[in-house]
Amino acid sequence: MPRRHLHMTGSADTPLRAALCKLRTELELPGSFPPGVLAEASQAAGAPAVSAHKDATDLPLFTIDPPTSTDLDQAMHLERRRHGFRVHYAIADVAAFVRPGGALDTEAHRRVTTLYFPDGKVPLHPTLLSEGAASLLPGQTRPALLWQIDLDSEGSAVTTSVRRALVRSRAKLDYAGVQRQIDTGTAEEPLALLQDIGRLREEQEVARGGISLNVPEQEIVERDGTYGLEYRAPLPADGWNAQISLLTGMAAAHLMAETGTGILRTLPVAPDGAVARLRRSAEALHIDWPHHVPYAQVVRSLDPGRANHAAFLQECTTLLRGAGYTVFEHGELPTPAVHAAVADLYTHCTAPLRRLVDRYAAELCLAAVAEQDPPEWVLTALPRLPKEMADGTGRANTVERECVDVVEAALLKDRIGEVFDAYVVDVKEQEPTTGTVHIDDPAVVARVEGGTAKLPLGERLRVRLAQADPGSAKVLFAPA
């Protein structure tokens, strides 16, 4: 599921930051890394296992990430060929630093994913590695899994290979800068091709029935002791960059399927009830969704820069809640095998600095290309990975949900008793006087209860703010 991005600016000493700190404690999240883990990380940073890595430092790779990011998993180089394109995609080789069964490995299995807060993160690996020795920082030689994917002139993958290599990124780029260079025609060809390939891959996505959710980032801005929420609509370059990652995840899944052993990211088709609920939300948010128009077509028509469209994109993520990780062996693909939003076989393999499963998927793909059996440490861990990832993903979702609650409570804490215009976007079947409302201004989605009449699903409702406490992370409205 796309993560709801929340980014905080402002001073370090604010009630909101204090509430977020308290939340970390209440959720019993991992704190600092144990001394043994840090010691092993320090040793690995100075002596990574790179004997199997071929020199590919002549390839002029570049990264595209938010300006402040230093945990850089991916770097790319794009080139035009006679009958299509070649994509080189370098992924940080975490296995070069993490010894199976060691302290680092054990701690990674405990943490599972990096957890994101508006004011920071709880990393999967010590920052000495994730933001240092293993990160694909510019001007630094790093061990990587170097993917080579050749595309035809229409953007379809033709051949795929992956190998271990030493790489050196030439530049750390950000989305706004990339978009500016492409729009002004100043981008050199390897970067300019991001638009060409990205658009072709988006057309491929439409043709196969897939859908990408461009969920806006919300920035929490402090002004004179109060808070505001501002949307940052994703740029086209965000989507083009995501298409390169999707391309690699699909290529990896097909490699594993061909050899009969792997782990897929799967998602069943959303049940009719979930789609019906989303239709009601669309009506409540004034989103035009004719009955004959498919869901994917509606999503592609949305403008994330408009508040009601942005809110609906957040609601759309509910259709992705059935996603999971599924292991298969002996050549028997699971049911379902396809990720419904991708509309193809798909796996997670492009973010090993931030997600545990990617390290294992990479090893399975390397073995597939080399026509060898996967390492024993991978096969041993494979059966328990789906549950570990489910637990870790659940924890990440809880963090996201609780952070949103804290932020919205801080935003509204001085407005208890005020009346707001809202839309009812959900009503509990068993408790029709309880549901969810979307407030016009500020853009908040929260619980409503306390009335005596059934809530009017999909209709406007005047509501009074009954509770907004950052300390308890709860916002509650009542019918006015």
Side-chain angles (χ1 to χ4, degrees), residues 41 60 72 81 109 114 123 136 155 238 295 297 299 313 331 334 345 358 385 388 419 433 442:
L72 311 183
R81 295 171 60 79
H109 278 269
T114 292
L136 303 184
D238 293 61
Y295 157 73
Q297 185 175 331
V299 170
L313 281 167
L345 298 181
D358 299 50
L385 273 176
E388 288 178 314
V419 174
T433 59

Side-chain angles (χ1 to χ4, degrees), residues 23 26 401-407 409 467 469-475:
L23 179 60
E26 291 176 344
R401 185 171 59 251
E402 294 292 333
C403 282
V404 170
D405 286 347
V406 166
V407 169
Q467 179 180 329
D469 180 5
S472 65
K474 297 300 177 186
V475 171

